[in-house]
Amino acid sequence: MTELRCRKTEPLEGDKNEERQNEPGLQTGPDNYESLKTEDGGADDRSQQKNEGEVKEDESRHKKHRSNTGGASVQRSKGFSTSGFFQRLVRIFFGCLAAVACGMLYAVYLSTYHDRKFWFSTRQELEREITFQAGSGLYYYYYKHMLAAPSFERGLYELTIDNKTVSGQMINAVERLFLYPEIITSFIYRVTGSQDFVEPIYFYIGTVFGLQAIYVTALFVCSWVMSGTWVAGMLTVAWFVINRPDTTKVEHAIPLRDNWALPYFSCQVAALTGFLSNNISSATEMFCYLAMSATTLTFLLVWEHSHYVLFVQGLCLFLLDSFDLVPSRKMADIHKVYLTSLFLAYLFQFQNPTLLSSPMLSLLIGSVLARFFQQKMKIGPLVARVMKLFLHFHLVFTTGITFSYLVKKLVPVSEGDFILKFLEVKFGLNTTTDFVTNFLLCQESFQRPGQDFFLRLTQASVLPFYLLVLTVCMLSTLQTIYRRLSGQPMKSNNRLEDGQIGGQPEVIYHVFHTLFFGGLTLLFDGTKFLWTPHVCMFTAFGVCSPELWMTVFKWLKLKSIHPVVLSLILSTAVPTIIGLSLWREYYPRVLAELSDLPEYYDTDTVELMSWIKSQAPVAAVFAGSPHMLGTVKLCSGSAVTSLPLYSDIGLLRRSEDNYQVYAMRSAEEVYKILTSQKTNYVIIEGSICNELSLNKGCRIKDLLDISNGHAFYDKGDIYSFSKHGRFCHEIKMNYSPYTNYFTRVFWNRSYHVYKVNSVISFQY
């Protein structure tokens, strides 16, 4: 009844006079206006007062009704918004909970696996330190040194003027070895008073395992942000753990710089992904910017190869900017992050000249200058923009190469020319007999990956789905690039119905990212530890993203079933099926890895290190292979002639001199080489001297023979010839002239240690 009254009284204000004019007795023309006024004056006044009262009453009822209905609608909208906010909050809470749980479980798994593999908790301190393989124990030595110093400041000062590590040299160990992880960890151990309840070695490896937890959590979050569902994060972690031999080195060499650096790089990529996204608030964008700044600087400080990795990332962002796929404001902010991080890293690394000549800085300088001179590059028709684009590429790389050349002339960097020669030999543009170049080329990290690597990825179902996701995203990205070059604007908010997964800047970046690092992995096996984790994340994002399936259905022009509904179903069903199959096949294997572990115990190495600690003088200098010298330095603290650091050309040359004990050289020649490095003891390893390998060209003794001119080829086979026998074999015969220069002081099945005589005794 209230609604009816309201509708009846609504026309009173506007149509009241019109109704009266249409009535016969209410004509108000000039002929009868006076008679109407005199006859009906009193009645008209009474009826007017009555009508005004009714109108006011109806208007009050109408206002009351509108207030009631309006309040109800506002309450409904508030209820819907509150419900939506609560649902989002619940999803975020459970997603964060799942991310943290995955990281913590992975850290616990690594700790359990490490303890059972090496029987770590039952070993003595010396035996525990020997488990740090591949020469990585050298880094742990400096952690022990920082804890043994009288104060933190004194320990740090001694590292910057270290003359007890490399014989005859004073080095800045912080700059040379990137020791900030050990410095910060030792500082935290001191400040928190952890020495009261945890041993130093457990605190150290626990920190590394904690970083690995952050690593997988960052991959989880990155996949979650891109796909919109934390199921993608769960699938990412599952694939990461299953493909562990190809995603991390932490199981056998905990202190390696990679294990400290890659978690920060993963966090940086996750922050960059959020920063590039269009659908974020200003507060979230600022948080991503700050996180990206902090992780970029930390990444540069903890790994000597970090600026090369950021150079590849910079190329991906350079393409995004060139194709006008990301706002110029964001690219300017990213350039600020890179430049600021490089400058601060240069200062913290004691003016390390390598950072000044890094390709990353050259690319940044070229990009900034090219953007200044080509301010109208991103306007015009398609053909004109393509021509401007090629000119832009030429200008950027020409400027970058010129800048790098000038820096190397002003600040000599020994590694620059060597890297070029190395790449020439790697790609078959040149040949060389240089030992260091061939030695690096024979390292597994610099060789092409084997077929077993791709077979493992295929068996874990990663590679097939990765190729599907990459193909769809790459084709959609090419469509977006063509639209941008044709002048079409970039959509800020992509709907699911649009079917354009390649229209999102963060997705385009990850397409470039996986293509660049994938190409490097096909050339260098060591790059797989950067590429494979990203493959796990990128693939999980794709199969869990409704936008990817919607893009496929839009291309297929699916009409029989609603594509939006089908894409939502597949984005849930496909990862569920994959997850169940992985659980069924690999979960028992993971448990078996923890239960059926063979005992790892290197008796010969433990015996050798025990002898060095108890019998060798404190000031003795040892020579040997780089990996062995890293273990010697860790367990005894003695000075060594070289270090297991393959990014330092000077140390590699010293390692070449140490390896001459496995060459066809005379006793006098080897003696002169060792005494030039002030060597007191030389360690000869049977595994190198008697090395048997199908790839004969990569054995240490073969590389030495090629470098020394003692090798020749016949029908593809390598033959060695010299007037002297192989030193490591001849010295074991204990006859002159070898006994004149060297005296055997220790031996077991694997090692022979000889003292370099300070006074030559001629015995015949």
Side-chain angles (χ1 to χ4, degrees):
M1 293 298 295
T2 306
E3 293 182 1
L4 292 176
R5 282 200 195 99
C6 290
R7 290 175 184 174
K8 183 176 180 180
T9 56
E10 280 175 2
L12 286 177
E13 295 292 333
D15 299 336
K16 183 177 177 180
N17 294 330
E18 293 182 3
E19 292 178 359
R20 289 183 178 178
Q21 289 176 359
N22 292 332
E23 292 178 3
L26 293 176
Q27 299 294 329
T28 57
D31 296 333
N32 57 0
Y33 177 75
E34 293 294 335
S35 60
L36 179 62
K37 183 178 179 180
T38 55
E39 292 177 1
D40 300 332
D44 185 64
D45 292 339
R46 288 191 298 270
S47 62
Q48 185 176 359
Q49 292 178 358
K50 182 179 180 180
N51 290 336
E52 287 178 356
E54 291 178 357
V55 169
K56 289 181 180 180
E57 182 180 357
D58 291 337
E59 283 181 351
S60 63
R61 293 175 182 174
H62 181 56
K63 289 180 180 179
K64 184 177 180 181
H65 171 73
R66 281 189 299 178
S67 63
N68 292 334
T69 55
S73 61
V74 169
Q75 290 177 359
R76 285 195 296 269
S77 63
K78 287 183 178 180
F80 291 147
S81 61
T82 304
S83 176
F85 174 76
F86 181 74
Q87 291 177 1
R88 286 185 58 191
L89 189 63
V90 169
R91 287 198 298 267
I92 292 175
F93 172 77
F94 281 105
C96 294
L97 185 64
V100 173
C102 287
M104 293 180 63
L105 288 175
Y106 179 62
V108 171
Y109 170 79
L110 285 178
S111 178
T112 306
Y113 180 85
H114 178 263
D115 183 73
R116 296 190 179 184
K117 178 181 179 180
F118 298 106
W119 297 72
F120 204 74
S121 58
T122 60
R123 302 296 185 193
Q124 299 297 322
E125 185 70 15
L126 178 64
E127 298 168 350
R128 291 175 178 175
E129 293 175 351
I130 292 175
T131 61
F132 295 147
Q133 303 172 19
S136 61
L138 174 67
Y139 300 103
Y140 182 74
Y141 162 78
Y142 290 103
Y143 170 74
K144 290 200 308 180
H145 176 81
M146 289 294 298
L147 294 180
S151 64
F152 176 80
E153 294 79 8
R154 179 63 183 177
L156 181 59
Y157 174 74
E158 291 176 352
L159 293 186
T160 58
I161 53 169
D162 183 13
N163 58 358
K164 298 180 181 179
T165 297
V166 181
S167 62
Q169 290 187 3
M170 179 180 290
I171 64 173
N172 185 340
V174 180
E175 175 193 355
R176 187 78 69 91
L177 300 174
F178 286 73
L179 295 179
Y180 278 105
E182 283 69 30
I183 293 173
I184 296 174
T185 305
S186 62
F187 177 76
I188 296 174
Y189 187 79
R190 283 174 176 267
V191 171
T192 58
S194 301
Q195 60 269 19
D196 297 333
F197 54 88
V198 63
E199 298 179 43
I201 194 168
Y202 276 107
F203 187 84
Y204 185 84
I205 64 175
T207 303
V208 178
F209 291 156
L211 283 176
Q212 300 306 304
I214 296 175
Y215 192 1
V216 297
T217 302
L219 292 173
F220 184 109
V221 172
C222 190
S223 182
W224 178 17
V225 168
M226 294 178 64
S227 63
T229 172
W230 50 266
V231 176
M234 301 282 287
L235 190 57
T236 299
V237 176
W239 270 328
F240 182 92
V241 175
I242 291 170
N243 296 279
R244 204 170 56 260
D246 303 311
T247 57
T248 180
K249 300 178 184 178
V250 74
E251 292 181 1
H252 65 278
I254 291 176
L256 282 180
R257 301 300 85 180
D258 316 26
N259 299 328
W260 289 91
L262 293 184
Y264 294 107
F265 181 64
S266 179
C267 293
Q268 192 256 13
V269 171
L272 178 61
T273 301
F275 184 76
L276 292 175
S277 178
N278 291 325
N279 302 322
I280 58 172
S281 62
S282 58
T284 306
E285 182 178 321
M286 178 57 65
F287 172 78
C288 293
Y289 178 80
L290 295 176
M292 183 170 55
S293 303
T295 51
T296 302
L297 175 60
T298 309
F299 183 55
L300 284 169
L301 289 177
V302 299
W303 195 24
E304 64 269 23
H305 302 304
S306 57
H307 59 93
Y308 294 112
V309 177
L310 292 179
F311 167 68
V312 178
Q313 185 185 72
L315 287 176
C316 302
L317 295 169
F318 167 71
L319 292 179
L320 275 176
D321 182 44
S322 300
F323 293 127
D324 197 17
L325 300 173
V326 65
S328 300
R329 173 187 61 83
K330 289 189 176 183
M331 281 307 305
D333 291 339
I334 294 174
H335 286 164
K336 293 177 185 177
V337 169
Y338 281 159
L339 290 172
T340 305
S341 300
L342 274 174
F343 175 73
L344 293 176
Y346 175 74
L347 295 180
F348 283 121
Q349 284 294 338
F350 305 92
Q351 292 82 46
N352 191 343
T354 306
L355 294 177
L356 290 181
S357 61
S358 66
M360 176 187 174
L361 181 59
S362 301
L363 177 64
L364 287 175
I365 297 298
S367 300
V368 172
L369 291 178
R371 291 182 65 183
F372 177 77
F373 288 112
Q374 287 186 298
Q375 297 182 1
K376 297 183 179 180
M377 183 192 71
K378 300 176 182 179
I379 60 176
L382 176 62
V383 177
R385 292 189 65 173
V386 171
M387 294 179 64
K388 292 179 182 178
L389 200 59
F390 281 110
L391 180 62
H392 181 69
F393 290 160
H394 174 75
L395 183 60
V396 169
F397 290 109
T398 302
T399 306
I401 293 172
T402 304
F403 175 80
S404 179
Y405 175 79
L406 293 176
V407 169
K408 290 178 181 178
K409 287 297 181 181
L410 297 175
V411 184
V413 181
S414 58
E415 291 84 355
D417 296 335
F418 174 77
I419 292 175
L420 292 177
K421 295 178 181 179
F422 172 81
L423 293 177
E424 287 179 358
V425 178
K426 171 65 179 179
F427 297 121
L429 302 177
N430 197 358
T431 58
T432 184
T433 59
D434 180 60
F435 172 83
V436 173
T437 303
N438 291 326
F439 173 73
L440 291 178
L441 288 172
C442 287
Q443 298 299 306
E444 185 179 359
S445 297
F446 292 106
Q447 294 183 351
R448 296 179 183 272
Q451 294 182 355
D452 55 337
F453 166 62
F454 299 102
L455 182 61
R456 288 192 297 269
L457 292 182
T458 303
Q459 290 176 343
S461 71
V462 181
L463 193 58
F465 285 104
Y466 168 74
L467 295 176
L468 170 65
V469 173
L470 178 61
T471 301
V472 175
C473 292
M474 187 167 58
L475 292 177
S476 183
T477 297
L478 292 176
Q479 286 182 339
T480 303
I481 292 174
Y482 177 78
R483 293 192 188 101
R484 293 297 294 136
L485 293 178
S486 299
Q488 297 184 17
M490 191 82 173
K491 289 185 178 181
S492 59
N493 293 319
N494 289 318
R495 299 178 303 170
L496 178 60
E497 295 81 1
D498 297 334
Q500 295 181 4
I501 194 171
Q504 306 173 29
E506 64 274 19
V507 174
I508 301 174
Y509 162 75
H510 282 281
V511 170
F512 291 149
H513 182 110
T514 193
L515 288 176
F516 276 105
F517 282 103
L520 290 175
T521 302
L522 295 178
L523 299 174
F524 305 103
D525 184 68
T527 320
K528 70 181 181 182
F529 297 104
L530 287 164
W531 182 64
T532 310
H534 186 267
V535 167
C536 298
M537 185 279 299
F538 188 73
T539 307
F541 140 72
V543 298
C544 296
S545 174
E547 286 82 2
L548 182 131
W549 301 107
M550 188 63 197
T551 303
V552 175
F553 296 149
K554 187 175 181 180
W555 290 343
L556 298 177
K557 298 181 180 179
L558 184 66
K559 296 181 179 179
S560 58
I561 304 177
H562 200 286
V564 174
V565 177
L566 187 58
S567 63
L568 292 173
I569 294 175
L570 288 179
S571 64
T572 304
V574 172
T576 302
I577 295 173
I578 295 174
L580 291 176
S581 63
L582 293 177
W583 177 274
R584 179 180 179 182
E585 182 175 358
Y586 287 97
Y587 181 70
R589 297 187 187 181
V590 172
L591 294 182
E593 289 178 351
L594 296 178
S595 57
D596 301 331
L597 288 176
E599 180 180 2
Y600 176 87
Y601 189 68
D602 192 348
T603 307
D604 293 340
T605 304
V606 172
E607 188 178 353
L608 172 62
M609 295 304 144
S610 300
W611 179 86
I612 292 176
K613 292 186 68 175
S614 60
Q615 301 296 326
V618 177
V621 177
F622 284 84
S625 66
H627 288 174
M628 174 54 61
L629 294 182
T631 305
V632 170
K633 183 64 181 175
L634 166 63
C635 298
S636 67
S638 300
V640 294
T641 56
S642 185
L643 297 174
L645 189 66
Y646 294 154
S647 60
D648 191 304
I649 302 303
L651 292 176
L652 285 171
R653 294 299 178 191
R654 293 175 69 96
S655 298
E656 180 183 2
D657 293 338
N658 292 340
Y659 277 128
Q660 295 301 321
V661 297
Y662 305 103
M664 292 181 171
R665 305 289 291 267
S666 66
E668 183 180 1
E669 290 175 327
V670 174
Y671 180 81
K672 289 181 179 179
I673 292 173
L674 294 177
T675 53
S676 67
Q677 298 180 353
K678 302 180 179 181
T679 304
N680 301 120
Y681 296 91
V682 58
I683 303 173
I684 297 179
E685 302 175 47
S687 59
I688 300 178
C689 186
N690 305 316
E691 183 179 2
L692 297 176
S693 174
L694 297 176
N695 189 6
K696 292 185 177 181
C698 277
R699 295 184 301 182
I700 293 295
K701 50 189 178 182
D702 294 335
L703 297 176
L704 290 168
D705 293 341
I706 294 172
S707 177
N708 297 332
H710 298 155
F712 64 93
Y713 294 87
D714 184 20
K715 297 180 181 180
D717 294 330
I718 300 177
Y719 298 94
S720 300
F721 175 79
S722 176
K723 63 179 180 179
H724 302 289
R726 198 165 298 281
F727 180 87
C728 62
H729 289 156
E730 299 296 326
I731 195 175
K732 295 177 184 178
M733 304 299 179
N734 286 328
Y735 65 86
S736 182
Y738 295 94
T739 55
N740 300 340
Y741 298 99
F742 305 96
T743 302
R744 187 170 66 179
V745 294
F746 173 85
W747 71 94
N748 58 23
R749 293 176 301 174
S750 302
Y751 306 105
H752 286 70
V753 180
Y754 293 87
K755 182 180 180 180
V756 180
N757 296 333
S758 56
V759 178
I760 302 175
S761 60
F762 291 95
Q763 302 175 2
Y764 296 96

